[in-house]
Amino acid sequence: MDLQLNDRVVLVVGGTGLIGGAVADVLRAEGATVLTAARGEGADLRLDAADDASVAGAVASVLEQHGRLDGLVVAAAPPAQTLDPARSSDPAQVVEAVDAKAMTFLRLANAAKAPMRDAGFGRIVGVSGQNALITGSITGSVRNAALIIAAKHLADELAGTGVAVNVVNPGPVTAEPADDVAHGKPGESSPEQIAALVAFLLSPRSTTSGESIATGHRVRGSVAL
């Protein structure tokens, strides 16, 4: 299937990371013009997603260089392994984690939605995680759930404008996902599998909006309507 991404301009925030890098590779293979952004070295744009001026400057730079912004992927967040399990219920860690993940997504989506709405087309995809669906880490669950909720609000706000907002929820990410899925746990997925779903959601062929979609098996043994 032709995803019709040829010459589409997509900003991938966290584009030097494991998932973001795979997304950038898949999009380039589909013919998209991809700009990666990250706080550190190696990205096309330096961006501090905690700073409103830096976010606005990155989006303005894309528009200045290319005259359009068709897609935004937000895959920037500290890995779950960096969260201190001993501080799972520590309000300070929870607030810091929500800002680093959910508010990063919200700042970037807010900056991108106006030019997309003006153009009558846009696709915004956030990368959250299936630990929003399970207990065990208040920090991990809350930061991911907050992103999912923010994305749904934005999707509803933009309904009918041509701008779609969705979230991809990986389980554990590994180069070689196992087939087995333990009860009460999500299934594994690879960066490339996650990137394939992100690419479809960025495509003009996708009319999906307001969804939170798992990669890998959705938590085994749970039902959410």
Side-chain angles (χ1 to χ4, degrees):
M1 176 188 292
D2 178 9
L3 294 180
Q4 299 178 353
L5 290 171
N6 195 50
D7 296 328
R8 295 283 181 178
V9 177
V10 182
L11 175 62
V12 181
V13 180
T16 58
L18 184 64
I19 295 174
V23 169
D25 289 343
V26 167
L27 294 177
R28 291 190 182 105
E30 291 289 335
T33 298
V34 179
L35 292 98
T36 58
R39 184 177 296 177
E41 301 288 343
D44 299 311
L45 299 171
R46 295 290 291 273
L47 185 152
D48 180 357
D51 181 78
D52 289 337
S54 180
V55 169
V59 172
S61 179
V62 174
L63 294 171
E64 182 178 350
Q65 291 179 49
H66 300 280
R68 58 194 290 179
L69 176 59
D70 300 300
L72 168 68
V73 180
V74 183
Q81 295 84 352
T82 66
L83 303 176
D84 184 353
R87 298 178 61 211
S88 170
S89 61
D90 181 349
Q93 178 173 260
V94 174
V95 168
E96 182 180 348
V98 168
D99 187 69
K101 190 160 193 175
M103 295 304 103
T104 286
F105 169 80
L106 189 56
R107 289 185 195 99
L108 287 155
N110 279 337
K113 70 182 183 183
M116 289 180 175
R117 185 166 45 199
D118 290 345
F121 177 84
R123 298 288 185 264
I124 298 172
V125 180
V127 179
S128 184
Q130 289 196 54
N131 60 1
L133 309 174
I134 57 178
T135 60
S137 171
I138 292 176
T139 302
S141 293
V142 170
R143 71 170 188 162
N144 285 349
L147 192 160
I148 293 168
I149 292 167
K152 174 57 174 166
H153 278 270
L154 287 174
D156 287 0
E157 173 191 329
L158 295 166
T161 67
V163 182
V165 184
N166 292 289
V167 178
V168 171
N169 290 320
V173 181
T174 179
E176 297 182 3
D179 294 329
D180 294 338
V181 181
H183 189 82
K185 299 292 184 180
E188 298 177 344
S189 53
S190 70
E192 293 75 21
Q193 290 169 336
I194 298 164
L197 177 56
V198 171
F200 175 73
L201 293 172
L202 291 169
S203 169
R205 289 188 177 277
S206 171
T207 58
T208 300
S209 189
E211 287 294 337
S212 173
I213 306 172
T215 61
H217 191 96
R218 198 173 191 274
V219 178
R220 184 174 182 181
S222 69
V223 175
L225 302 178

